[in-house]
Amino acid sequence: MILRERFSPTCFLSALGAGGLSVSFFMYLMFLVPHPTTPMATFEYIFQALEKGDYISFITAFSLVFIFAFALIHFKLLIWNTKQFLLYKKSESYKSLITSNGQISLMTLPLTYTMSINVAFVLGAVFIPKLWSIVEYLFPFALLGFAINGYFALKIFFDYFSRLIIKGDFDFTKNNNLTQMISIFALSMVAVGFAAPGAMSSNIIVNSIGIFFAIFFASISIVLIFIKIILGFKNMFEQGINIETAPSLWIIIPILTLLGITFIRLTFGLEHNLNATSDKPSLFVLTSTILSLQIIFGVLGYQIMKKLGYFEKFIKSNEKSALSFALICPGVAFFVFGMFFINIGLVHNSIIDKYSIIYFILMIPFIYIQVVTIKLFFRLYKKFSF
């Protein structure tokens, strides 16, 4: 299926959502499979967990299947979207896009490609034996990959922002939503990517480079949050929100997850190589604050979309909108950060015990959101017939 003029860069959100779902199943391995000598669950520890034959073995096997399945869907959709975009760039529709507010949607490309690096990293860690023994040789290539995506994210953003400042042609009548925050989403994804080698590398040079650029991209993201969220809500208060762009109210949820994980990784990275003292209670405060904000925006967004009839129009009916895939990322992000809240905020501070009954009870609402998100993804996947 060739879309050409009908293609939109927001279609990349389909690949992004599949990649996010793949990574979300890694959270079960990350926090349930013991890995005392490595900062993340690797093949060797995962294989040991499978051999035990207990409930953790079942969860591990279940997770591996879904990590692999959603990774395949992610790369399939990534290739499809890339081919469509290359054709779209030759169209008149693309020429119109780069002179409008919609130019910012091009940020979905570095956003999705950065997710691809994360998916590849997870696949390598869980399916390739002894990969962690050479991981220090891989971290520089990861930094290079994140740097390339970061460069293109900044290039797209500065091209867009400089055009607006020079020409003053931003259309505020079409800004009654939060879709402009896709730029922050992309920059936050790059930040959390850099934070991974910043937290896990034992080489102080690699560690420091990762930490610096994680702070660099996170700082830009935080500044832009204040600018774009104020402008977006101002226009929404004046004009009301457009029904098709209503899912943008949830975009702050994945942004908060990415920035939250970035700062958690920075905390451990600074402790790991730069001899900083870890402040466990601050991690409880950080995770609690982010989760609270996610719940507030989640409830607000759901209530507004329900009153607008968004779900009936764009989910349950045959009417298509590429922006519908923007609903996948918040569901994934809420689940992922829920796991961080339970394990880093609560268990790490000895508020609850790992593997206790209350531990698994607290996981239930986050797992429910994950299941609903998966069902929604396949409903949209079937509708769009990729």
Side-chain angles (χ1 to χ4, degrees):
M1 181 174 65
I2 299 175
L3 298 180
R4 289 188 186 275
E5 297 277 348
R6 294 181 291 117
F7 181 78
S8 167
T10 54
C11 289
F12 273 91
L13 294 173
S14 59
L16 179 70
L21 285 168
S22 177
V23 173
S24 74
F25 279 95
F26 177 70
M27 291 299 104
Y28 293 110
L29 307 181
M30 177 71 179
F31 292 118
L32 294 179
V33 173
H35 45 94
T37 63
T38 56
M40 60 186 289
T42 58
F43 175 87
E44 287 72 26
Y45 289 116
I46 292 167
F47 190 75
Q48 288 176 19
L50 286 171
E51 287 184 317
K52 287 184 177 179
D54 56 10
Y55 70 97
I56 298 295
S57 301
F58 172 76
I59 295 172
T60 302
F62 188 81
S63 300
L64 288 172
V65 170
F66 281 95
I67 287 171
F68 188 72
F70 279 113
L72 284 180
I73 297 172
H74 166 74
F75 287 112
K76 174 192 172 184
L77 291 174
L78 184 70
I79 294 168
W80 182 87
N81 277 287
T82 302
K83 289 179 177 178
Q84 295 290 334
F85 179 74
L86 293 175
L87 293 171
Y88 173 69
K89 281 190 75 173
K90 302 173 185 177
S91 70
E92 291 298 318
S93 180
Y94 176 77
K95 293 177 183 177
S96 299
L97 179 82
I98 59 176
T99 59
S100 69
N101 289 15
Q103 184 181 0
I104 200 66
S105 64
L106 294 174
M107 294 290 280
T108 55
L109 277 75
L111 169 62
T112 306
Y113 279 100
T114 306
M115 173 61 82
S116 298
I117 298 175
N118 294 325
V119 173
F121 197 78
V122 166
L123 289 175
V126 302
F127 290 113
I128 300 178
K130 298 182 179 179
L131 184 69
W132 203 260
S133 64
I134 59 166
V135 75
E136 290 296 343
Y137 298 101
L138 300 178
F139 279 140
F141 292 102
L143 289 175
L144 179 62
F146 292 126
I148 291 170
N149 281 302
Y151 166 78
F152 282 106
L154 289 174
K155 185 180 185 302
I156 292 167
F157 178 74
F158 284 127
D159 285 347
Y160 172 68
F161 220 58
S162 59
R163 174 178 68 81
L164 295 181
I165 292 172
I166 292 168
K167 295 185 178 180
D169 58 354
F170 186 76
D171 189 349
F172 283 94
T173 62
K174 295 181 180 178
N175 192 47
N176 54 335
N177 52 71
L178 296 181
T179 52
Q180 292 292 311
M181 292 182 70
I182 195 73
S183 58
I184 304 167
F185 194 179
L187 294 169
S188 300
M189 184 69 79
V190 175
V192 80
F194 272 115
M200 294 186 282
S201 177
S202 296
N203 183 303
I204 194 166
I205 302 299
V206 172
N207 178 262
S208 300
I209 291 171
I211 289 173
F212 173 80
F213 281 104
I215 293 171
F216 177 82
F217 282 97
S219 299
I220 300 171
S221 301
I222 292 168
V223 170
L224 291 175
I225 284 174
F226 289 105
I227 296 172
K228 292 182 177 286
I229 205 166
I230 290 169
L231 288 175
F233 272 100
K234 177 181 180 294
N235 294 130
M236 282 189 282
F237 289 153
E238 290 176 347
Q239 306 166 42
I241 193 167
N242 179 295
I243 183 172
E244 188 174 359
T245 57
S248 66
L249 289 168
W250 278 353
I251 197 170
I252 192 67
I253 296 175
I255 291 171
L256 287 168
T257 288
L258 294 173
L259 290 176
I261 295 173
T262 297
F263 289 119
I264 289 169
R265 286 177 171 176
L266 290 177
T267 300
F268 291 132
L270 292 169
E271 180 185 9
H272 179 52
N273 254 350
L274 298 173
N275 300 318
T277 303
S278 177
D279 184 7
K280 291 183 179 181
S282 68
L283 291 174
F284 173 64
V285 174
L286 173 67
T287 54
S288 298
T289 302
I290 288 176
L291 186 66
S292 300
L293 290 171
Q294 288 180 327
I295 291 170
I296 291 167
F297 276 93
V299 172
L300 176 66
Y302 177 78
Q303 193 171 45
I304 289 172
M305 282 185 276
K306 189 174 181 181
K307 288 182 178 179
L308 287 171
Y310 179 88
F311 301 107
E312 287 72 19
K313 185 174 183 179
F314 292 107
I315 305 300
K316 296 178 182 178
S317 74
N318 293 323
E319 190 165 346
K320 297 178 182 179
S321 169
L323 266 175
S324 297
F325 279 100
L327 297 173
I328 305 301
C329 298
V332 169
F334 187 71
F335 167 78
V336 168
F337 202 78
M339 294 292 281
F340 271 85
F341 170 72
I342 292 170
N343 290 278
I344 303 298
L346 302 181
V347 174
H348 191 59
N349 280 284
S350 302
I351 296 171
I352 63 170
D353 294 324
K354 199 163 192 173
Y355 309 118
S356 63
I357 294 175
I358 188 65
Y359 177 81
F360 288 106
I361 289 174
L362 286 173
M363 286 173 60
I364 291 173
F366 300 108
I367 294 172
Y368 171 76
I369 295 296
Q370 185 190 33
V371 171
V372 170
T373 303
I374 292 168
K375 289 171 65 178
L376 174 60
F377 176 82
F378 281 114
R379 181 190 285 267
L380 293 173
Y381 185 82
K382 183 179 179 182
K383 182 193 285 193
F384 279 78
S385 304
F386 288 110

